[in-house]
Amino acid sequence: MSSRRVRRRLSKKGKEILILPGYPEFKDEASTSEADTIATCDVDWTLLPDDTVIQLFSSLNYRDRASLSSTCRAWRALSTSPCLWEFLDLRAHKCDAALAVSLTSRCVNLQRLWFRGVDTADAIIHIKAHNLREISGDYCRKVSDATLSVIAARHGLLECLQLGPDFCERITSDSIKATAICCNKLKKLRLSGIRDVQCDAIEALAKYCPNLTDVGFLDCLKVDETALSKMLSLKFLSVAGTSNLKWGLVSHLWHKLPNLIALDVSRTDIGPAAVSRLLISSQNLKVLCALNCAILEKEVNFSAPKIMGKSLIATFIDVFEEISLLFSDTTIRGNNVFLEWRNSKKNSKSIDEVMTWLEWILSHTLLRVAESNTQGLDEFWLKQGVMLLLNLIQSSQEDVKERAVTGIATFVVKDDENASIDHQMAEAVMHDGGIGLLLDLAKSWRETLQSEAAKAIANLSVNLNVAKAVADEGGIEILADLAKSSNRLVAEEAAGGLWNLSVGEEHKAAIANAGGVKALVDLIFRWSVGGDSVLERAAGALANLAADDKCSTEVALAGGVHALVMLARTCNFEGVQEQAARALANLAAHGDSNSNNAAVGQEIGAVEALVQLTRSSHEGVRQEAAGALWNLSFDDRNREAIAVAGGVEALVSLAQSCANASPGLQERAAGALWGLSVSEANSIAIGQEGGVAPLIALACTDAEDVHETAAGALWNLAFNSGNALRIVEEGGVPALVNLCSSSVSKMARFMAALSLAYMFDGRMDECALIGNLSESSSKVVSLDGSRKMALKHIEAFINMFYDRQAFTAAAMSLAPAALVEVTERVRIQEAGYLRCSDAEIGRFITMLKNPSVLKACAAFALLQFTIPGGRHALHHARLMQNVGASRALRVTAAAANAPLETKIFTRIVLRNLEYHKDLLS
């Protein structure tokens, strides 16, 4: 590609920025006054010189070119210039017969055509480009003999025909023979995945195509070796990946080919003997490429014969050194051999032919090896493979560039399902300068290069160090621009790149500043139908961005709430559902700092969609939907809306079904019930719906996070006497006792103790008595035993925080410093996030009069809820002020028979209230 570029100037017209060729691009290239003048003037695009317009058109795909040509008569004429239609790349868009017919008038002089897929293959005959010299197609698995035969019959001047790299399973020797008869000017033929290339087809090529010098039968099941030996015109031959070749026969026959200078046997079962014979006996052979040949590589004692002017390319040999042997110029050495060859003006035509062929062959083989994830090649990739691919992405051959970029995107991936990459490989690409090269390709005007480069950048950016390098080199801005592309594949890969980059907290603001948020939201609306993959990536990126407070506001302002709810409601693809629910969960997680929580809940259909997604068969979808409902439940209106939408039943059912699920799903299912149960009506409904038993089961799991959410939900439920009795009846006391005494989480232990305190502060007794009027009295005994067990473990929990020396010192001095020291010893940091109602605060105040250990538990709880700096400390202080709690606290602090720890806890609470007094006034 030419290194020339058209300089640009910027002109503002209203709020739009127009980019015009022919003027300085940067401010320091033009005077300030000139720049100001340019910025304020209107621009008449129709006055641009013809050559400038043609230069612009040449950088557009055929669809955009056609769109611009319809703007005015002058541009319509210029758009048909023959130089713009010598090459046509149809791969980025679907091409049917109607579109092909519409292109006919422009394609009279078409020389090169690239296409993708069977539909386009069937359509290209309608273009009537009888002067075509090259046809290259991929994704040709369904292309049939009939289609290939018609293509050959309509394009008799063909010099190059390439179909691959996927398998052409429906093409047989019949259409190869027809191609030979119709296209006798053929110079290059490369076909992939033919089942059986028979003798008559190869003999037809030899007979009818005297100029055929480059043949590739790649990944075929069978190729007639004897017939190939009769193709005397061959200079370049590749049978890479082809099986069932008789290597004894090959080495006996092919070395006699008089013009053969380059042979590719990569990924075959060739052995050392055949390799040696071919190198020694082939008179004109210069290059034998045998990459990833298992039998050859297993022969540890094999030493390739060193023959002047001949190179063996293999994984166990220094590839760059072997390639440099092709040059008479001894200064061309090392890893820059390709670059030096491209820049050299001393090269002969023959060396240029070999190097051009070698670029193509290496790019094909390296991509195939990367796709197969062949084991045992890590050392090769690190020492040579990475550098080879980086050299190849600088090739002047567009298809070589693309395959090399795709190879980089592919070889670093270890596990596609879990987005796992080889971090050592990724950093090798970075250290060898690959990030800058890939970003340059991402800025190419060719959409196929854009999408492949964006894919490579996305995969590499899973590594945090690479992600930082991508951001530092301007990659975020580039990907944000590509996400605006009208080409779905480009936008999809760019969204994937932004998704991976948005994992890093340090990149979120940069993505927002680059316009990435709006681009991602727009993608959802643009591809709301038929774009599942791009939707998943866009929603995933928005989910990561929404985790940041500032970015979450940007997402909402850009219409993200509506877009994500639309996906949750209408999309059936589980990956999209999961990411949309996760994004909504993260948007709703900032209830204290912005209005997104309420906004999500108020969006039409949002709550109903999330409730429905909790019933999904996909665990990830259920988990994220439950997480979203959990976050939404912190808003009073949302909480009731969830209940109205059937959320209680759905979440209880989810909790009942996730006993063997992942800890993440268990945590969110219990957390959502915890959030809903803040409302007493919901709490009662959860108990009546059967929610107690699954929460007890979740409290018995091994996961610390699940302990906390299950204990929190049981704490809320236990506030109601009926639920408290259900907890006892379902065996919840031993579960809570176990949490209270042995959970790794202090927060879980704290809430388990509070649950037990609610259950056994006397209010449940009346409910239990009513139940016993119609049931066995054994429950009375069971309840009494449970109470003793609960009080014992509550006391043990309180004693965990009791330090006799510190408490005695605090009791003697009552100095603020001593109370502060005790506070820090007993403080449970996470408890500051808990928010109690006035009824709950009132209940703890009442517990201060209880003669049992509940007095100390109540004082300890009130201490945690009022510690200065806690999120809801001021709220709790206000509630305590409203019920006149200070008097009850002073009585407790002064009681002669109160335990020392209870007195100290109470005095700290009084001190906390005093601290908050000024703020409340």
Side-chain angles (χ1 to χ4, degrees):
M1 186 184 299
S2 172
S3 62
R4 294 174 56 200
R5 69 184 178 94
V6 180
R7 290 185 174 181
R8 300 175 296 172
R9 66 172 178 174
L10 302 182
S11 174
K12 293 184 179 179
K13 184 176 182 180
K15 293 184 178 180
E16 297 180 354
I17 296 180
L18 307 179
I19 302 177
L20 303 179
Y23 293 88
E25 181 177 3
F26 302 106
K27 188 171 181 180
D28 58 3
E29 295 179 7
S31 66
T32 304
S33 58
E34 181 187 4
D36 291 341
T37 302
I38 290 171
T40 56
C41 69
D42 290 333
V43 176
D44 187 348
W45 286 84
T46 62
L47 297 180
L48 289 173
D50 290 353
D51 60 345
T52 301
V53 175
I54 290 175
Q55 179 71 23
L56 283 172
F57 277 16
S58 69
S59 296
L60 300 175
N61 65 56
Y62 71 94
R63 287 196 170 190
D64 291 341
R65 200 181 301 161
S67 297
L68 276 180
S69 68
S70 65
T71 58
C72 66
R73 186 177 303 169
W75 281 17
R76 187 178 304 117
L78 289 173
S79 71
T80 60
S81 299
C83 65
L84 294 174
W85 296 96
E86 292 180 354
F87 171 53
L88 183 59
D89 186 353
L90 298 173
R91 293 174 301 163
H93 304 281
K94 184 177 180 180
C95 178
D96 54 18
L99 179 58
V101 170
S102 71
L103 293 170
T104 299
S105 62
R106 298 176 173 89
C107 295
V108 175
N109 297 307
L110 187 64
Q111 303 288 304
R112 301 165 59 213
L113 173 65
W114 290 0
F115 73 91
R116 174 168 289 163
V118 64
D119 293 335
T120 306
D122 291 333
I124 60 177
I125 59 175
H126 298 286
I127 296 178
K128 298 180 181 179
H130 301 299
N131 294 315
L132 266 178
R133 299 297 192 270
E134 176 185 335
I135 293 180
S136 180
D138 53 17
Y139 291 92
C140 297
R141 187 178 294 270
K142 295 182 179 180
V143 173
S144 65
D145 267 354
T147 298
L148 179 56
S149 297
V150 172
I151 290 174
R154 296 286 180 90
H155 304 98
L157 298 179
L158 270 184
E159 296 176 359
C160 174
L161 175 62
Q162 299 183 138
L163 299 178
D166 51 324
F167 298 158
C168 303
E169 296 174 336
R170 299 178 64 185
I171 292 176
T172 71
S173 290
D174 292 339
S175 58
I176 297 175
K177 187 175 180 179
T179 299
I181 295 171
C182 295
C183 305
N184 54 25
K185 295 185 180 298
L186 207 59
K187 296 179 180 179
K188 183 186 299 181
L189 176 67
R190 292 168 179 163
L191 303 174
S192 294
I194 311 296
R195 290 184 180 276
D196 187 0
V197 186
Q198 296 174 355
C199 174
D200 60 341
I202 297 175
E203 288 179 348
L205 290 170
K207 178 179 179 180
Y208 295 106
C209 303
N211 300 317
L212 186 58
T213 60
D214 187 339
V215 169
F217 292 127
L218 302 98
D219 295 293
C220 298
L221 291 181
K222 191 176 187 313
V223 176
D224 192 293
E225 307 93 338
T226 304
L228 274 175
S229 69
K230 298 176 183 178
M231 296 191 69
L232 304 182
S233 62
L234 279 183
K235 290 184 177 180
F236 305 97
L237 174 61
S238 174
V239 289
T242 292
S243 55
N244 300 311
L245 287 168
K246 301 178 181 68
W247 291 109
L249 186 59
V250 166
S251 61
H252 179 70
L253 294 175
W254 290 4
H255 75 87
K256 299 175 183 178
L257 287 167
N259 297 304
L260 187 66
I261 60 176
L263 174 62
D264 176 29
V265 296
S266 298
R267 300 183 293 109
T268 65
D269 58 356
I270 193 171
V275 168
S276 297
R277 180 159 186 174
L278 286 168
L279 284 172
I280 294 169
S281 303
S282 299
Q283 184 176 355
N284 295 314
L285 190 66
K286 293 183 178 180
V287 180
L288 177 58
C289 191
L291 284 168
N292 193 214
C293 296
I295 294 177
L296 187 65
E297 290 167 359
K298 286 179 181 177
E299 188 61 55
V300 293
N301 296 321
F302 173 67
S303 178
K306 299 294 183 181
I307 303 173
M308 182 69 69
K310 295 187 179 182
S311 300
L312 174 63
I313 309 298
T315 57
F316 53 86
I317 294 175
D318 188 326
V319 174
F320 292 101
E321 185 62 30
E322 289 294 310
I323 294 174
S324 68
L325 296 176
L326 297 171
F327 295 86
S328 57
D329 185 352
T330 57
T331 63
I332 297 181
R333 288 289 186 273
N335 293 349
N336 292 323
V337 61
F338 285 98
L339 182 61
E340 292 180 16
W341 159 65
R342 296 185 196 111
N343 294 334
S344 176
K345 298 179 180 179
K346 303 176 183 178
N347 297 323
S348 64
K349 180 181 178 182
S350 61
I351 194 66
D352 286 342
E353 284 182 335
V354 171
M355 290 296 291
T356 300
W357 176 85
L358 196 52
E359 282 190 331
W360 195 94
I361 291 301
L362 287 173
S363 67
H364 185 281
T365 292
L366 291 173
L367 176 55
R368 278 299 197 200
V369 173
E371 288 173 338
S372 63
N373 198 20
T374 305
Q375 301 300 307
L377 290 180
D378 288 359
E379 184 177 0
F380 166 74
W381 282 120
L382 289 172
K383 288 187 175 180
Q384 301 192 77
V386 170
M387 187 56 71
L388 278 170
L389 289 171
L390 293 179
N391 272 274
L392 293 172
I393 68 174
Q394 301 172 73
S395 170
S396 59
Q397 300 181 75
E398 293 297 327
D399 51 348
V400 169
K401 277 184 182 178
E402 289 176 23
R403 274 194 297 274
V405 174
T406 306
I408 291 174
T410 305
F411 93 99
V412 297
V413 178
K414 293 175 63 178
D415 182 355
D416 193 34
E417 286 294 321
N418 298 310
S420 173
I421 68 166
D422 188 309
H423 292 278
Q424 192 176 10
M425 303 286 191
E427 294 195 10
V429 174
M430 175 181 68
H431 293 317
D432 288 335
I435 303 305
L437 293 173
L438 290 168
L439 290 175
D440 285 342
L441 290 180
K443 292 185 287 186
S444 164
W445 61 271
R446 290 193 183 278
E447 292 172 325
T448 46
L449 271 178
Q450 290 175 354
S451 64
E452 294 304 317
K455 181 196 297 181
I457 293 165
N459 290 351
L460 292 167
S461 295
V462 173
N463 179 282
L464 298 181
N465 294 328
V466 176
K468 183 178 185 304
V470 169
D472 290 345
E473 295 193 37
I476 288 176
E477 292 79 6
I478 293 170
L479 290 172
D481 283 340
L482 291 181
K484 302 170 187 175
S485 173
S486 59
N487 183 300
R488 182 180 60 81
L489 292 176
V490 175
E492 178 180 314
E493 300 301 348
L498 292 174
W499 186 3
N500 288 343
L501 284 166
S502 61
V503 171
E505 294 299 320
E506 67 274 25
H507 304 316
K508 289 181 170 62
I511 293 172
N513 293 336
V517 171
K518 187 176 188 306
L520 292 165
V521 172
D522 289 346
L523 273 184
I524 292 175
F525 290 119
R526 184 182 305 138
W527 300 104
S528 57
V529 178
D532 289 342
S533 185
V534 68
L535 293 175
E536 179 181 16
R537 298 177 190 205
L542 288 173
N544 287 347
L545 293 169
D548 176 81
D549 186 12
K550 183 178 179 181
C551 288
S552 72
T553 303
E554 294 276 346
V555 173
L557 290 174
V561 173
H562 180 64
L564 293 163
V565 169
M566 178 187 71
L567 293 183
R569 293 177 63 190
T570 63
C571 189
N572 295 322
F573 184 61
E574 291 168 340
V576 177
Q577 293 174 340
E578 180 178 358
Q579 297 308 321
R582 185 169 72 91
L584 291 170
N586 287 344
L587 281 172
H590 305 284
D592 289 345
S593 55
N594 60 46
S595 59
N596 287 348
N597 187 299
V600 172
Q602 292 165 15
E603 183 70 28
I604 295 174
V607 169
E608 292 81 359
L610 290 168
V611 169
Q612 184 61 35
L613 290 181
T614 63
R615 301 185 174 97
S616 169
S617 60
H618 187 274
E619 180 171 318
V621 176
R622 298 198 300 273
Q623 175 174 310
E624 300 302 341
L629 292 172
W630 181 10
N631 288 344
L632 287 171
S633 67
F634 287 98
D635 179 90
D636 293 341
R637 287 177 296 178
N638 289 343
R639 192 183 308 122
E640 301 314 313
I642 293 169
V644 170
V648 170
E649 297 87 345
L651 289 167
V652 168
S653 177
L654 180 62
Q656 290 170 338
S657 67
C658 69
N660 297 318
S662 67
L665 175 55
Q666 292 176 335
E667 177 196 12
R668 288 163 177 78
L673 289 172
W674 182 9
L676 277 185
S677 63
V678 169
S679 158
E680 187 170 7
N682 288 344
S683 176
I684 294 171
I686 291 169
Q688 292 173 344
E689 193 67 30
V692 169
L695 285 169
I696 292 172
L698 291 176
C700 296
T701 64
D702 296 329
E704 177 182 339
D705 291 338
V706 182
H707 288 175
E708 291 184 3
T709 53
L714 290 169
W715 174 37
N716 282 350
L717 292 177
F719 187 80
N720 175 267
S721 299
N723 283 337
L725 184 58
R726 288 189 182 94
I727 294 173
V728 174
E729 292 173 344
E730 295 288 351
V733 173
L736 288 167
V737 162
N738 184 59
L739 274 188
C740 187
S741 60
S742 61
S743 176
V744 175
S745 166
K746 283 186 179 181
M747 185 68 165
R749 299 173 84 166
F750 176 50
M751 290 187 293
L754 297 186
S755 302
L756 293 169
Y758 277 170
M759 293 164 62
F760 296 107
D761 67 351
R763 301 192 184 200
M764 184 176 60
D765 295 348
E766 183 179 348
C767 184
L769 182 61
I770 294 173
N772 281 324
L773 293 177
S774 58
E775 298 181 19
S776 168
S777 61
S778 62
K779 287 188 177 180
V780 176
V781 177
S782 175
L783 191 61
D784 187 53
S786 295
R787 178 184 291 108
K788 291 178 179 178
M789 182 192 305
L791 296 180
K792 175 183 175 182
H793 283 86
I794 291 173
E795 184 174 16
F797 171 74
I798 298 298
N799 287 338
M800 281 175 49
F801 300 88
Y802 179 61
D803 184 313
R804 179 176 297 277
Q805 183 176 353
F807 276 56
T808 301
M812 292 177 62
S813 67
L814 295 180
L819 293 178
V820 168
E821 182 182 349
V822 171
T823 301
E824 290 306 311
R825 286 178 179 272
V826 304
R827 182 175 191 169
I828 300 175
Q829 191 70 36
E830 297 84 353
Y833 292 93
L834 297 175
R835 180 184 175 95
C836 296
S837 66
D838 53 353
E840 289 174 295
I841 292 296
R843 192 156 178 175
F844 284 118
I845 298 298
T846 302
M847 278 188 207
L848 291 174
K849 303 173 184 177
N850 196 297
S852 71
V853 72
L854 294 182
K855 182 194 299 283
C857 182
F860 181 80
L862 292 172
L863 181 156
Q864 302 296 333
F865 298 150
T866 58
I867 292 176
R871 178 180 291 185
H872 303 295
L874 192 62
H875 163 76
H876 294 142
R878 181 179 288 108
L879 295 181
M880 293 174 70
Q881 185 184 65
N882 292 342
V883 297
S886 296
R887 183 173 182 278
L889 289 165
R890 290 192 187 95
V891 169
T892 302
N897 58 348
L900 177 60
E901 61 269 25
T902 303
K903 294 182 177 182
I904 297 300
F905 291 154
T906 307
R907 287 169 182 167
I908 293 173
V909 176
L910 286 167
R911 175 182 168 276
N912 291 344
L913 292 180
E914 192 65 27
Y915 172 86
H916 292 298
K917 186 176 181 180
D918 293 338
L919 297 174
L920 291 172
S921 61

